[in-house]
Amino acid sequence: MLAAGLLLVGCGDLTDDLNPSDKDQRPAVTAGSSGYMPGQLAPDFALQTSVAGEFQLSDYLSGGSQASDAVVLYFTMWCPICLAHSDHMYNEVIPQFRGRGSVVYALVDYVSGSVAVARAAETANGYAGSEFVTLVDAGQAVMDQFNAAMGTVVVIAPDATIVINEDYRNGEALTESLDGLLP
Amino acid sequence: MKAARFQALAAAMAALACSGQTWAASCCGGGSSTSLVLPKFSQAMIDVSVDYERYDGFWNSRGDWVADPPGADLKQYRLNLGYARRLAPRWQASVSLPYVWNQNQYTGFERNTHGVGDTKLSIWYEQFDKVACVWNVNRWEDLIPAIYWGGTLTVPTGTSPYDDVADNFDITGLGMYRLDANLLLDKTVYPWNATFSASYGTYLERPVNREYGNDVEPYDRQRGDRVNTLLSFGYTYFTDRMESLTATVGYAYLKERESTIDGVIDPTSGLRKQSLSATLAWATDDRDWVTKLTWSHAIDQDGWGRNFPTTDIISVGVSHVLR
């Protein structure tokens, strides 16, 4: 019955989970190329914030009007896992780096679709007025640009190089990358 | 003749009490299915059910209940196919396979996906040969419950975050093998019934080299051990034709410890959920057909869960016993 069921639904890509691989399959990256993978340069983007301001990535990179030492993007849909991650970032990671340069911590809301709804979600989850800026990715263009999903964290260096782009997991990679970037 | 009739009825009631035990599975991705327990003196059983699960907020990592974003409408439908077969007088095995449909709608986003869920393979051992259901308690032995010992292997046939998926909305399974040890105690003194079930599950560690379609530096992930318990009480009404209608209320508790990543605890993981359920089951006079309707409700209040969605689940199913 099991075999028949699987055949019926044409599920041909089961081995990823049934026999998972530990091979490193990351493709080689050309330094200086534009893209979403670590080692590549993040393309510039502009999004509205939840308080109706505008966030332009290049403004926070080297040469920008508000140049910072790192930009952290976290992609949220305001779900339990998302909140567990962003709470952990807020309570455990951010405090470690206060006083060490300047970091932009941004929650990228890719489900709300409007400034008003994103603001409501941000407020309901206790982040209004916090160190996070919430970006409204209404068309999911930035999500697609970084090939992101729920829980993806991206760290961008001042020269636009992507340092990490992966699931947040336990925040260790974020902590290590900020430790390497900040003075 | 009367004794035989009572014996058949007792067997049928055992079927009714035992066949509907459910162990709820995860969300944020993964689906649920039914562990089937075959009635005594029967050879096989087919079980088909449909679940409708509606998401209504969640408990955050502090255990506070939080509403979903405004305009969110999140649902999951599951078609569960199950088959149980007797291997020996006290041994039985079963398999259940869900097919999952995800419907996620936000104010700025809508996504509908579907796929196979995780498969469960179970084996059960019955402690006693005799039927433990009685009409009257005349001696202390009459209080001994039916005891079933079981083992369940969850096979990650569903779509997980580690498959080649676009995003989390494609997920229909957890991507991990899990071994559960199960205990089921059931006592019926007609027309009353009480059931307690418990399972303790351990996930197998697995390597991960891809997340949501992106290749990543390989690491090992293991979800935390899982405890699942259910306590239920039921009452059965018999018609003149000996058809039966059983009403059951239950309380379920689910807890999963934190995951580890390369052996290090992930403090953002782990979950807890408490829920209440009500079931109506209608059985034919020969008890070969049982139709069930279950409503499972998670309490949307602080402290009733942690790190987990709050949902209502309505299940409609039918079981057919093959003698």
Side-chain angles (χ1 to χ4, degrees):
Chain A
M1 193 181 82
L2 173 61
L6 296 178
L7 282 174
L8 274 175
V9 297
C11 197
D13 195 23
L14 286 173
T15 54
D16 289 339
D17 287 329
L18 294 178
N19 185 24
S21 167
D22 60 358
K23 280 186 184 170
D24 191 343
Q25 300 184 129
R26 291 175 294 172
V29 169
T30 305
S33 62
S34 178
Y36 63 87
M37 296 183 60
Q40 293 188 297
L41 298 178
D44 195 16
F45 67 83
L47 288 176
Q48 281 200 298
T49 72
S50 59
V51 290
E54 184 166 294
F55 180 96
Q56 179 100 32
L57 176 64
S58 53
D59 286 346
Y60 297 90
L61 303 179
S62 292
S65 57
Q66 302 176 72
S68 62
D69 297 302
V71 174
V72 177
L73 307 176
Y74 178 80
F75 290 81
T76 184
M77 51 186 279
W78 311 109
C79 67
I81 295 173
C82 307
L83 268 294
H85 287 167
S86 52
D87 281 353
H88 182 263
M89 197 187 315
Y90 191 69
N91 295 314
E92 305 295 333
V93 178
I94 292 176
Q96 293 181 47
F97 298 101
R98 285 192 185 119
R100 283 185 63 185
S102 61
V103 183
V104 176
Y105 297 99
L107 300 176
V108 184
D109 175 346
Y110 59 91
V111 295
S112 291
S114 72
V115 168
V117 177
R119 179 63 174 168
E122 174 193 58
T123 302
N125 288 288
Y127 293 131
S130 73
E131 285 169 273
F132 285 121
V133 56
T134 297
L135 308 182
V136 187
D137 189 14
Q140 298 191 326
V142 174
M143 187 184 180
D144 292 341
Q145 177 178 314
F146 286 96
N147 212 28
M150 175 198 79
T152 296
V153 61
V154 178
V155 176
I156 304 170
D159 66 353
T161 301
I162 296 172
V163 181
I164 62 168
N165 180 354
E166 62 186 34
D167 186 67
Y168 183 85
R169 301 177 207 155
N170 56 10
E172 212 170 89
L174 170 62
T175 303
E176 284 175 10
S177 59
L178 288 179
D179 199 37
L181 284 173
L182 301 184
Chain B
M1 185 68 185
K2 191 176 179 183
R5 175 89 178 181
F6 277 179
Q7 190 178 44
L9 188 59
M13 288 310 299
L16 199 62
C18 298
S19 62
Q21 301 307 312
T22 57
W23 280 260
S26 171
C27 113
C28 226
S32 72
S33 61
T34 302
S35 285
L36 305 172
V37 176
L38 199 57
K40 278 192 177 293
F41 314 122
S42 57
Q43 293 306 307
M45 181 165 64
I46 297 168
D47 185 278
V48 179
S49 65
V50 176
D51 301 336
Y52 162 74
E53 183 162 16
R54 182 175 177 274
Y55 290 70
D56 179 22
F58 58 91
W59 297 285
N60 66 17
S61 55
R62 294 181 297 277
D64 298 334
W65 185 82
V66 180
D68 286 321
D73 185 13
L74 316 176
K75 298 170 190 158
Q76 187 177 80
Y77 300 88
R78 295 181 290 270
L79 171 64
N80 306 301
L81 304 175
Y83 178 73
R85 183 162 191 85
R86 188 166 296 284
L87 307 174
R90 287 191 181 186
W91 290 92
Q92 56 180 285
S94 66
V95 56
S96 64
L97 175 69
Y99 195 82
V100 181
W101 287 263
N102 293 317
Q103 284 190 0
N104 299 285
Q105 185 174 341
Y106 292 87
T107 47
F109 182 72
E110 182 173 355
R111 187 84 190 275
N112 300 316
T113 59
H114 57 88
V116 176
D118 287 343
T119 303
K120 290 184 185 303
L121 305 171
S122 298
I123 191 159
W124 288 92
Y125 174 76
E126 300 163 30
Q127 184 73 48
F128 305 118
D129 284 324
K130 70 167 195 168
V131 175
C133 306
V134 297
W135 285 92
N136 295 297
V137 178
N138 297 314
R139 48 192 184 140
W140 73 268
E141 287 93 338
D142 293 336
L143 293 171
I144 296 174
I147 301 174
Y148 293 78
W149 304 93
T152 300
L153 172 66
T154 301
V155 182
T157 48
T159 304
S160 82
Y162 320 115
D163 282 307
D164 189 13
V165 295
D167 56 42
N168 53 290
F169 296 109
D170 291 326
I171 294 171
T172 60
L174 293 177
M176 308 264 175
Y177 288 92
R178 189 178 77 226
L179 281 168
D180 282 280
N182 309 320
L183 169 67
L184 171 61
L185 304 176
D186 178 79
K187 187 62 203 174
T188 298
V189 180
Y190 298 116
W192 300 97
N193 167 263
T195 299
F196 172 75
S197 67
S199 66
Y200 187 90
T202 297
Y203 290 91
L204 306 188
E205 189 178 63
R206 63 159 287 172
V208 174
N209 64 357
R210 182 165 53 186
E211 295 165 341
Y212 299 112
N214 288 333
D215 295 321
V216 298
E217 184 178 1
Y219 66 95
D220 292 323
R221 179 186 283 272
Q222 184 175 25
R223 291 179 72 106
D225 289 354
R226 176 180 279 231
V227 174
N228 206 343
T229 60
L230 172 68
L231 180 64
S232 65
F233 298 95
Y235 179 86
T236 299
Y237 167 77
F238 293 97
T239 68
D240 293 340
R241 296 169 52 187
M242 292 309 291
E243 295 159 329
S244 66
L245 179 66
T246 300
T248 306
V249 292
Y251 163 81
Y253 178 84
L254 167 68
K255 181 177 181 180
E256 185 174 298
R257 298 176 68 86
E258 285 88 354
S259 305
T260 59
I261 294 171
D262 285 335
V264 177
I265 286 179
D266 175 0
T268 67
S269 60
L271 59 90
R272 184 165 52 82
K273 178 189 179 185
Q274 299 175 78
S275 59
L276 304 173
S277 64
T279 299
L280 280 177
W282 175 263
T284 55
D285 56 351
D286 57 9
R287 307 302 185 257
D288 281 353
W289 291 90
V290 180
T291 305
K292 292 168 287 187
L293 171 65
T294 299
W295 173 43
S296 173
H297 177 64
I299 312 292
D300 55 356
Q301 299 289 327
D302 295 352
W304 283 77
R306 189 182 80 81
N307 237 4
F308 206 65
T310 314
T311 66
D312 281 292
I313 307 170
I314 295 173
S315 302
V316 180
V318 60
S319 301
H320 179 50
V321 172
L322 306 170
R323 300 290 169 184

